Amino acid sequence: MENEKVPNSFGKTGNRQGNAARKPFTPKVAGSDQMFSKLPPQAVDVEEAILGALMIEKDALTAVADILRPDSFYKEAHVRIYSAIITLFADSEPIDMLTVTSKLRSTGELELVGGATYIMELTSRVNSAANIEFHARIIAQAYIKRELIKISSEIQKEAFEDTTDVFRLLDKMEHSLFQISESNIKKNYADMGALMRQALAELDQKKHNKDGLTGVPSGFSALDRLTSGWQKTELMILAARPGMGKTAFVVSSLRNAAVDFNMPVAIFSLEMSSVQLVNRLISAEAEIDSEKIRKGSLAPHEWEQLHHRIHRLTNAPIFIDDTPALSVLELRAKCRRLKAQHDIQMIVIDYLQLMTADTGGKGAGNREQEIAMISRSLKNLAKELDVPVIALSQLSRAVETRGGEKRPQLSDLRESGSIEQDADMVLFLYRPEYYGITEDEAGNSVAGVGEVIVAKNRAGSLDTVQLRFIGKYTKFADLDSGFTPAPYPVDRPIVTSNPIASFESNTKPSGQGGTLRSRANDLSNFDYKGPDTEPPF
């Protein structure tokens, strides 16, 4: 019978044993046989020791509560037992063999974990909780490995599908990896001695700053004297009514930091396109009327002026992202990449109300709760990346209905009081001439004057700083700087009939391969026909 000839799947005869041994062909994934032929990383004996120690020493849980979660355990019975222990701890009840048994019995899970006998066996396997924290880290590491294996197998499976969107897959992978690190690798506390040494080292560095700047400079002298620059880990909220110049202010500030101080900065523009922002930068830098920039109606000497003055701007480390309806998750992922690749020193979001919160498929509730979630996430982002985050915000219409000078106040922040709570600094932008006010109380003209009102400053004093608003260039400057265009230099660059050719011939590529980044501001994308058509700027 062993060598009996039987028909095979191709209609031919063959050995029965050979046919039985044959298997349908399936494509192999590199490393898949090694991946799935092994047991997942686990340490069941260590899990038993930890659970036993938690039930014999009442203070043992405090040493591992921030390291272990119920999902960290491999064995399902251990997941249920640890969940019962956590519930008892949250209810301020004692934790021992009897209370844990009673808790599991009340939830109907006692028999699922092996009964009271198994609980008793766990407590008999250990004598103390001396090494419980070390054991907990072993369990946590095994859990992280299992999660990484799970993620990699899911990514591998989806990568083989023809219908998979590769960019969504990349985002999903990054999101999953970040969730693992965020929920398992947490910063521990530091003792006073270590913190004191760190504080003294920072003070020693600050004494060399002759101008008193300890953060990212805004480029506005009076404001920098008040704030010492935009401080790391802080969330700044810049709020104003529409038309006050919020975008003009932050664009001027990030231009000053990037061009004058060579600090890499990033702006996420949810309202304006990247090219519109670049046009504003060009208008302010070249001191050419923004209306002419928008229409392209520049005189020959203005083209020369433009090409001469935008050289420093072209090589500035400014990164622009104009993704609409940006979510907190996407923002965090993009900022982490920018920090890793370009060491950005400041992040600007224009503006907060246009962002969406990540709700994990659950309802976000009302808009106020969603804004609260976004503002907390922005504060966490500032601390995580150790950079200042400036978020623009709208004010409610209550400002318009109020009489008098209509100066904004903290209660005017739109949609959520949590914005005020989460922010380290709240600044309001106010221009009296917007409301037809031409003079202040002393009779001085307020034409072209913009006020930055520091309404909240967690680390400093409150004050109002006056700046010069130059509307035709859409920029802010120091009040005493004036806005008369500087005399045009003699050594002017040669301007050909094609502005793009002039641009390329009169600018040098930066060391970073061009740092004014955006999907939309690559000049090679423009189809320029000649001097009689509208220029790409």
Side-chain angles (χ1 to χ4, degrees):
M1 289 292 292
E2 269 188 0
N3 296 321
E4 180 184 352
K5 302 295 182 180
V6 295
N8 59 21
S9 58
F10 294 95
K12 299 180 180 180
T13 58
N15 185 278
R16 180 185 296 275
Q17 184 176 1
N19 284 321
R22 285 195 187 97
K23 294 181 179 179
F25 172 77
T26 55
K28 283 192 174 183
V29 178
S32 61
D33 50 349
Q34 291 88 352
M35 180 186 299
F36 300 110
S37 63
K38 297 180 180 179
L39 285 173
Q42 56 181 290
V44 176
D45 52 342
V46 180
E47 292 180 6
E48 294 172 348
I50 287 177
L51 294 175
L54 291 174
M55 289 186 285
I56 63 174
E57 290 195 17
K58 63 177 183 178
D59 297 328
L61 184 60
T62 57
V64 301
D66 61 339
I67 302 174
L68 295 179
R69 300 180 303 166
D71 291 343
S72 302
F73 291 83
Y74 177 74
K75 193 173 179 179
E76 181 62 28
H78 296 168
V79 173
R80 298 176 186 273
I81 294 171
Y82 187 72
S83 297
I85 292 173
I86 291 294
T87 303
L88 290 170
F89 180 78
D91 295 338
S92 301
E93 297 182 12
I95 300 171
D96 55 35
M97 179 182 67
L98 296 177
T99 57
V100 172
T101 302
S102 176
K103 188 66 179 176
L104 289 169
R105 184 180 290 111
S106 67
T107 58
E109 297 177 307
L110 183 59
E111 297 303 321
L112 296 176
V113 304
T117 305
Y118 185 68
I119 304 295
M120 188 183 303
E121 290 177 358
L122 291 176
T123 57
S124 65
R125 295 184 184 185
V126 290
N127 297 320
S128 72
N131 301 316
I132 190 169
E133 186 173 349
F134 178 79
H135 294 158
R137 297 196 183 280
I138 295 176
I139 300 301
Q141 291 175 19
Y143 168 72
I144 292 173
K145 289 180 179 178
R146 292 197 301 272
E147 289 297 296
L148 290 173
I149 292 172
K150 177 183 175 182
I151 291 170
S152 61
S153 62
E154 290 177 356
I155 296 297
Q156 193 177 54
K157 178 182 177 182
E158 291 190 33
F160 274 92
E161 297 290 337
D162 293 335
T163 57
T164 299
D165 186 328
V166 66
F167 297 105
R168 287 185 178 273
L169 186 60
L170 282 171
D171 185 68
K172 177 182 177 181
M173 180 178 66
E174 190 173 51
H175 179 206
S176 301
L177 291 174
F178 180 75
Q179 279 189 321
I180 292 176
S181 62
E182 187 178 42
S183 59
N184 293 279
I185 305 174
K186 297 181 179 178
K187 183 179 179 181
N188 207 348
Y189 60 84
D191 62 87
M192 191 60 185
L195 292 174
M196 188 65 72
R197 286 190 293 272
Q198 181 181 348
L200 290 175
E202 291 182 1
L203 281 174
D204 186 61
Q205 292 178 351
K206 291 175 182 178
K207 73 179 182 181
H208 299 294
N209 298 329
K210 304 300 181 183
D211 51 9
L213 285 173
T214 58
V216 177
S218 68
F220 306 121
S221 304
L223 185 60
D224 284 338
R225 281 195 296 270
L226 178 64
T227 64
S228 297
W230 309 120
Q231 299 297 314
K232 294 180 178 180
T233 74
E234 290 191 357
L235 171 63
M236 274 72 65
I237 298 294
L238 177 68
R241 288 294 294 157
M244 285 292 173
K246 296 187 298 295
T247 304
F249 176 83
V250 292
V251 167
S252 298
S253 180
L254 68 86
R255 177 266 169 211
N256 295 338
V259 175
D260 296 338
F261 297 90
N262 198 34
M263 290 187 170
V265 295
I267 178 169
F268 293 85
S269 177
L270 287 78
E271 186 176 33
M272 298 174 63
S273 72
S274 55
V275 173
Q276 288 176 314
L277 278 179
V278 171
N279 285 341
R280 286 201 172 197
L281 284 163
I282 291 173
S283 174
E285 191 72 13
E287 293 186 333
I288 297 176
D289 196 326
S290 58
E291 187 73 17
K292 291 185 176 182
I293 295 286
R294 184 165 58 251
K295 294 180 179 178
S297 56
L298 273 66
H301 75 277
E302 288 175 324
W303 277 110
E304 295 179 8
Q305 181 176 330
L306 182 148
H307 283 289
H308 179 83
R309 293 190 177 180
I310 65 172
H311 173 72
R312 293 179 67 199
L313 185 62
T314 304
N315 294 322
I318 300 174
F319 302 89
I320 301 175
D321 188 303
D322 59 359
T323 304
L326 188 69
S327 70
V328 171
L329 171 63
E330 292 172 327
L331 173 71
R332 201 161 49 207
K334 291 180 177 184
C335 288
R336 284 199 306 269
R337 286 196 292 267
L338 283 169
K339 183 67 176 177
Q341 296 172 7
H342 304 288
D343 193 26
I344 56 172
Q345 299 298 305
M346 184 171 71
I347 298 169
V348 176
I349 295 103
D350 182 14
Y351 58 92
L352 186 145
Q353 278 81 9
L354 291 179
M355 292 189 66
T356 58
D358 301 294
T359 59
K362 301 177 182 179
N366 57 38
R367 180 60 177 167
E368 183 175 342
Q369 293 174 342
E370 190 174 5
I371 292 294
M373 187 185 305
I374 293 171
S375 65
R376 282 194 299 270
S377 300
L378 294 181
K379 174 59 182 175
N380 292 337
L381 178 66
K383 292 187 67 176
E384 177 192 344
L385 299 184
D386 194 31
V387 298
V389 173
I390 303 177
L392 276 60
S393 177
Q394 294 283 18
L395 292 178
S396 67
R397 290 191 178 91
V399 179
E400 309 295 337
T401 59
R402 199 162 47 233
E405 295 181 336
K406 303 183 186 298
R407 290 178 182 271
Q409 53 195 28
L410 288 173
S411 59
D412 296 326
L413 283 171
R414 185 176 170 186
E415 290 183 316
S416 178
S418 65
I419 297 177
E420 177 188 345
Q421 297 171 12
D422 296 325
D424 296 280
M425 188 181 297
V426 177
L427 305 99
F428 294 122
L429 206 56
Y430 171 70
R431 292 193 296 113
E433 65 178 346
Y434 182 85
Y435 296 108
I437 301 172
T438 58
E439 294 181 348
D440 59 15
E441 296 177 354
N444 300 317
S445 174
V446 293
V449 173
E451 295 182 3
V452 179
I453 305 169
V454 181
K456 177 186 177 182
N457 189 1
R458 192 168 283 166
S461 58
L462 307 181
D463 205 347
T464 298
V465 175
Q466 288 190 330
L467 299 176
R468 175 71 62 191
F469 176 67
I470 312 172
K472 63 179 180 179
Y473 302 149
T474 59
K475 75 172 184 177
F476 281 82
D478 284 331
L479 187 63
D480 56 356
S481 67
F483 53 94
T484 302
Y488 196 64
V490 178
D491 53 339
R492 295 179 289 185
I494 299 173
V495 178
T496 67
S497 60
N498 190 332
I500 297 180
S502 298
F503 172 83
E504 293 175 345
S505 64
N506 289 297
T507 56
K508 298 178 181 179
S510 69
Q512 296 181 354
T515 52
L516 194 59
R517 300 291 176 82
S518 171
R519 297 187 305 274
N521 63 8
D522 184 359
L523 294 179
S524 63
N525 292 333
F526 292 101
D527 184 17
Y528 186 74
K529 304 299 183 182
D532 295 329
T533 59
E534 183 174 335
F537 303 103

